Amino acid sequence: MDTTAKPQYDNGVVQYLTVGAVAFLVLGTFMGTFAAAQLAWPALNFDIAEITFARLRVMHTNTVIYAFGGMTLMATAFYTVQRTNGVKLWSNAMAWWTAILFTIGLLAVVVTISLGMTTGKEYHEQEWPLAIAIAVVWTLYTFNFMMTIASRNKETHPNVYVSNWFFMGMMIAITYLYVVNGLAIPVSLFRSYSLFSGVQDAMIQWWWGHNAVGFFLTAGFLAIMYYFVPKQAQRPIYSYRLSVIHFWALMFGYVWLGAHHLQYTALPDWTGSLGAVISLAMIIPSWGGALNGMLTLSGAWDRLRTDYILRFLIIALAFYAMSTFEGPVMASKTVNALSHYTDWTIGHVHSGALGWVAMVSIGALYHMVMKLWNTEMYSMKLINFHFWLATIGTVFYIVAMWVSGIMQGLMWRAYDEYGTLAYTFAESVAAMHPYYAMRALGGLLFFSGAAVMLYNVVMTIRMANAKSTSQVEAHA
Amino acid sequence: MSNLEQHLGTDWSAMTGQDWAGLIITVLVFFGMLITFWLTLRPSKRKELEEEKYKILKDD
């Protein structure tokens, strides 16, 4: 028996999902940049209903969250579950069906939203037939992942590595949150009404909405962090015990936060207070997790000079720490009174989305491309160039929104000596223009980085394929 | 009744089924977290848990 042979894994579906994720990153950031430009220069709506801001913004969020984020989660989950458990996927065919149906479903979501078909529920705009289809695909993904873990050799792999726990937590939570929030009464093929009404509907919506952030965009991407940071750094995670605490604190705590989106509304006051208090408490595990990732580099910080992929992963953790501090502060009633309904919220979301989710994904995707095609990247310099485009773009974006948001909040609450509002709403909109232009520039930089990544990945795959073809010919 | 008693007091007879469900879940989660901390952080588990982190470095 050849004990030196490398283990064989199902890589085809992971390769498909990896390339798909990069392509959707380019498409989604293009939509976002275009939508940002429309806010700065409204003529860019071109009076075309399908691409007006109201629809384009939702197409953007669905593309980046579900298409890019979802494909990244599927690619990394299928990649890591095989390696951490020393076994192939339970069903490679089911994984392929999952990947292809997910792609078709997401394209259908983007098209139907552009045609104006929407439930109007934030991050759950898909109308009922597509929502059911997505829930079924998600269940296939979850089932296959869990069965892969269950089919491992318990003698060689008695325990399940922590990244798998984060993936499973995300899968279970998103399944019940998505299904409950989506409960609706269909009245036609593309029209339905929520089963809940009034403030209950709002509470269920934000129970889902914040947990889409907490589980889909945090727990899932922490799973990525707990596997890819140690692998790329070639050092074990700083503390395994801290990762276990991080996991359980996140699972127990996150589901309570949603009500902080509804401060000063018809929701009972204590509910918002509870959401704010638990939000503040969540700083502790979040920072514990961020430090756990960063301290993995203890004694090897010089690696950041030369390893551009590691830079993506580590700066993602810095943004994770920053946005998990900013979020609870914004949840507190005093700050929320100023920040709510302003662009500060948009800035906060993007420090998490661009700085944390996209950066950690990009690092993991570059890592997987090299492993899956068994090659070096076409250009490491382009990865460095991408890193700076993404970092500067993110900073431009969030600084613009911080200034814009705080200015909005202050203008809206300013009174004159007679007790009337000092500014009209239109005046506050006009004051935003320079910051909206700056935001569009930040988005353009980030999108350019994504385009550079797509080029680099495509050239890497072409290079690897040409190399393997020439090797086959040499053997023949 | 002092302010503190008024603030912390509960009208138990007014508790609905949902209130009780929420209360029980909250208390269970609290104890769940305590148990997790105890199971994870006790010194005797340190070696066993920390060994897990080295395994992924040689998985491919």
Side-chain angles (χ1 to χ4, degrees):
Chain A
M1 187 179 159
D2 181 10
T3 53
T4 59
K6 282 191 169 184
Q8 295 297 307
Y9 299 122
D10 292 318
N11 286 334
V13 68
V14 185
Q15 288 176 322
Y16 167 80
L17 287 162
T18 300
V19 175
V22 179
F24 276 120
L25 175 66
V26 175
L27 183 65
T29 50
F30 171 74
M31 288 175 180
T33 305
F34 192 27
Q38 286 179 335
L39 282 183
W41 303 285
L44 291 173
N45 281 281
F46 298 116
D47 284 335
I48 300 170
E50 286 75 12
I51 59 160
T52 49
F53 177 80
R55 296 188 191 180
L56 192 61
R57 183 250 167 195
V58 183
M59 289 156 67
H60 158 65
T61 54
N62 274 266
T63 306
V64 288
I65 295 173
Y66 297 112
F68 164 65
M71 279 205 163
T72 301
L73 288 170
M74 285 187 179
T76 51
F78 286 148
Y79 179 90
T80 59
V81 75
Q82 297 183 77
R83 284 155 180 81
T84 52
N85 292 285
V87 66
K88 284 184 162 195
L89 288 174
W90 180 70
S91 170
N92 189 37
M94 186 185 279
W96 269 108
W97 275 109
T98 305
I100 290 168
L101 289 174
F102 195 61
T103 312
I104 296 168
L106 289 167
L107 290 172
V109 166
V110 172
V111 170
T112 52
I113 288 171
S114 77
L115 296 173
M117 297 165 189
T118 169
T119 61
K121 290 169 85 81
E122 181 107 43
Y123 308 136
H124 202 141
E125 292 87 356
Q126 311 86 27
E127 268 295 357
W128 68 274
L130 289 172
I132 292 173
I134 287 172
V136 170
V137 170
W138 188 261
T139 309
L140 292 178
Y141 164 54
T142 303
F143 186 69
N144 203 1
F145 184 86
M146 292 193 180
M147 289 306 290
T148 303
I149 293 174
S151 64
R152 75 190 189 282
N153 182 336
K154 272 89 173 174
E155 286 180 11
T156 56
H157 293 77
N159 298 315
V160 177
Y161 185 67
V162 70
S163 64
N164 294 301
W165 287 103
F166 275 95
F167 272 127
M168 285 192 287
M170 170 199 71
M171 290 168 182
I172 292 168
I174 289 298
T175 304
Y176 71 75
L177 290 158
Y178 187 80
V179 169
V180 173
N181 186 53
L183 291 174
I185 301 168
V187 291
S188 69
L189 187 57
F190 279 102
R191 170 60 59 198
S192 63
Y193 292 97
S194 173
L195 200 62
F196 312 100
S197 61
V199 74
Q200 283 87 357
D201 189 37
M203 184 61 242
I204 296 286
Q205 160 59 35
W206 282 108
W207 175 64
W208 149 256
H210 196 85
N211 286 307
V213 177
F215 287 95
F216 196 87
L217 297 177
T218 301
F221 290 87
L222 283 169
I224 294 174
M225 185 279 280
Y226 274 116
Y227 182 84
F228 288 97
V229 168
K231 289 297 284 186
Q232 187 65 29
Q234 296 170 331
R235 302 169 68 84
I237 194 76
Y238 176 69
S239 166
Y240 195 83
R241 288 181 302 162
L242 185 54
S243 71
V244 175
I245 295 288
H246 186 195
F247 170 77
W248 285 110
L250 213 75
M251 293 301 123
F252 283 136
Y254 241 117
V255 285
W256 304 79
L257 308 190
H260 73 216
H261 285 259
L262 298 165
Q263 307 282 33
Y264 306 111
T265 65
L267 198 73
D269 197 51
W270 67 265
T271 325
S273 300
L274 179 69
V277 168
I278 306 284
S279 301
L280 287 162
M282 289 298 288
I283 293 176
I284 301 166
S286 299
W287 276 45
L291 286 171
N292 205 5
M294 286 190 195
L295 290 175
T296 298
L297 281 189
S298 288
W301 288 101
D302 57 297
R303 294 278 310 278
L304 288 174
R305 279 198 207 125
T306 50
D307 190 336
Y308 304 135
I309 297 173
L310 197 57
R311 279 189 194 175
F312 272 107
L313 296 166
I314 297 301
I315 202 162
L317 284 164
F319 275 108
Y320 173 63
M322 189 181 74
S323 52
T324 52
F325 178 77
E326 185 186 25
V329 169
M330 293 171 76
S332 69
K333 286 186 173 176
T334 312
V335 178
N336 197 266
L338 175 74
S339 73
H340 205 181
Y341 308 116
T342 73
D343 288 329
W344 188 354
T345 306
I346 319 302
H348 167 62
V349 167
H350 282 82
S351 77
L354 299 176
W356 159 239
V357 173
M359 297 280 200
V360 78
S361 301
I362 289 164
L365 290 166
Y366 276 129
H367 178 99
M368 286 197 299
V369 166
M370 291 198 290
K371 294 281 184 185
L372 290 167
W373 278 273
N374 195 25
T375 181
E376 290 300 310
M377 286 301 294
Y378 169 71
S379 168
M380 292 307 275
K381 281 185 180 170
L382 282 180
I383 297 182
N384 190 29
F385 184 48
H386 179 192
F387 173 79
W388 287 111
L389 284 173
T391 304
I392 295 170
T394 304
V395 171
F396 259 62
Y397 191 114
I398 59 179
V399 169
M401 290 297 95
W402 280 337
V403 177
S404 161
I406 293 169
M407 189 191 284
Q408 271 178 327
L410 293 174
M411 287 180 81
W412 292 345
R413 59 160 58 175
Y415 289 88
D416 63 18
E417 58 189 309
Y418 302 107
T420 53
L421 290 173
Y423 302 99
T424 63
F425 183 73
E427 282 175 317
S428 75
V429 173
M432 296 308 109
H433 182 75
Y435 308 104
Y436 284 4
M438 185 176 165
R439 185 247 300 265
L441 176 63
L444 182 65
L445 289 173
F446 199 93
F447 160 71
S448 305
V452 168
M453 181 186 191
L454 181 62
Y455 171 75
N456 203 359
V457 167
V458 169
M459 293 306 290
T460 302
I461 295 169
R462 287 182 61 177
M463 190 175 76
N465 289 343
K467 192 173 148 191
S468 95
T469 308
S470 63
Q471 279 175 345
V472 169
E473 284 171 356
H475 279 100
Chain B
M1 193 184 281
S2 70
N3 275 347
L4 191 63
E5 282 173 338
Q6 196 174 8
H7 187 69
L8 296 176
T10 302
D11 180 2
W12 296 103
S13 61
M15 293 275 282
T16 65
Q18 289 182 348
D19 291 336
W20 278 111
L23 176 66
I24 291 165
I25 292 168
T26 311
V27 172
L28 286 178
V29 165
F30 173 75
F31 282 108
M33 276 308 298
L34 281 185
I35 292 166
T36 306
F37 272 76
W38 181 73
L39 286 176
T40 310
L41 297 179
R42 61 193 162 141
S44 60
K45 285 287 270 187
R46 178 176 186 160
K47 189 166 181 285
E48 182 191 335
L49 279 171
E50 293 300 339
E51 273 177 3
E52 289 297 313
K53 67 185 181 185
Y54 297 98
K55 291 179 182 170
I56 64 160
L57 297 178
K58 50 195 174 191
D59 65 9
D60 50 12

